[in-house]
Amino acid sequence: MRVIRDSEFVSETDRGAAAAIGNFDGVHLGHRAVLDIARDHASRLDAPLGVLTFEPHPREHFAPDAAPFRLMNAAARAHRLSRLGVDKLYELPFTAALAALTAEEFAADIVARRLGLVHVVVGEDFRYGAGRTGDADTLRAAGDAHGFGTTIVPLIDLDTGEVSSTAIRTALSDGRPGDATRMLGHHHRIDGPVIRGDQRGRDLGYPTANQSIAGLHPPRFGVYAVRVDVLTGPHAGRYDGAASIGTRPQFGKNAANCETFLFDFSGDLYGEELSVALVDFLRPEAKFASLDALIAQMADDCARARAILA
């Protein structure tokens, strides 16, 4: 998959895709439906399959002081889209200049002239242009005027309700990773490098791989049964484990992070890339009366996680 970040200088080989447009935060089942229809059009038109998205997320541009809300960072999103067979990822910088474009200017200048998209696919709730004045219907009209086709995809509903990034965030905040999984079509993951922590887990007999969750929507703080993909280094592979997400109240005030204990593993993971999938919520974060009580609870957590993952 090629990632194109500068819409001013797009080579001819990178133009002419059939593309899904959106933020694709989480790459959930609704996004997959839009992408699958774009794939059908790409095949019919003998065009590359593309995704047009933005970085940072527009909400980060308009509300830079808002609480973290993203389900995945840009690298994780790109990795997921690549696995789904996307040929061209147009990851446009969401700047003040881009935000100021009218709906007509965005369709004419970005979609048609710069990227030369031959067909675009959007969800029925799609909004674009300064003041969010453009919608799926105005995009279809713009396509008729500027030479690209447009398909509008209805939103997906499950028994639990409408599939959306907002609904997924709510499920994660409530400690319902299973419901998030059903809407995502895959487990929610925390992706990123292993960073150095305080090494307390090692002292307690449970060495952990620590990851920052800065900038991401925090799941409910507590302990989870997890599946871990070590993506780089000599220990690359898949492992089962238990992860604690939160501020570690046993040891005072700390920045929230994700600490994962990999079962039946021995080795150094510092600096390696991990993808930690939340399978099930075991219990809320807590402060214990003693370290012995904490260690006993960690043993129980690991036993429960092993049973669930088996």
Side-chain angles (χ1 to χ4, degrees), residues 5 22-25 52-64 69-70 72-75 77 90-99 215:
R5 295 187 173 92
N23 292 312
F24 287 85
D25 188 25
L52 171 54
T53 190
F54 311 96
E55 189 61 32
H57 190 293
R59 190 191 300 183
E60 293 176 284
H61 172 82
F62 290 114
F69 67 92
R70 291 184 68 153
M72 55 173 43
N73 59 32
R77 178 179 61 191
Y90 304 100
E91 191 181 88
L92 302 190
F94 197 85
T95 61
L98 183 62

Side-chain angles (χ1 to χ4, degrees), residues 228-239 262:
V228 183
D229 288 309
V230 178
L231 302 177
T232 60
H235 303 291
R238 176 164 289 184
Y239 304 85
L262 280 64

Side-chain angles (χ1 to χ4, degrees), residues 130-153:
R132 292 168 56 86
T133 55
D135 59 19
D137 289 328
T138 63
L139 185 63
R140 174 180 282 158
D144 292 341
H146 298 290
F148 58 86
T150 306
T151 299
I152 302 170
V153 182

Side-chain angles (χ1 to χ4, degrees), residues 26-73:
V27 194
H28 56 59
L29 289 178
H31 299 141
R32 292 280 295 272
V34 172
L35 187 59
D36 286 344
I37 291 173
R39 191 191 320 277
D40 290 341
H41 284 284
S43 177
R44 180 174 58 83
L45 296 169
D46 193 24
L49 172 60
V51 164
L52 171 54
T53 190
F54 311 96
E55 189 61 32
H57 190 293
R59 190 191 300 183
E60 293 176 284
H61 172 82
F62 290 114
D65 297 325
F69 67 92
R70 291 184 68 153
L71 295 170
M72 55 173 43
N73 59 32

Side-chain angles (χ1 to χ4, degrees), residues 194-195 206-211 258-262 269-270 274 276:
V194 176
I195 59 176
Y206 291 89
T208 57
N210 298 341
Q211 294 168 283
C258 175
E259 299 186 51
T260 305
F261 174 63
L262 280 64
L269 291 175
Y270 287 124
L274 261 63
V276 178

Side-chain angles (χ1 to χ4, degrees), residues 171-187:
L172 293 170
S173 294
D174 292 345
R176 296 183 284 114
D179 288 343
T181 296
R182 282 185 280 278
M183 289 183 278
L184 285 164
H186 54 85
H187 292 305

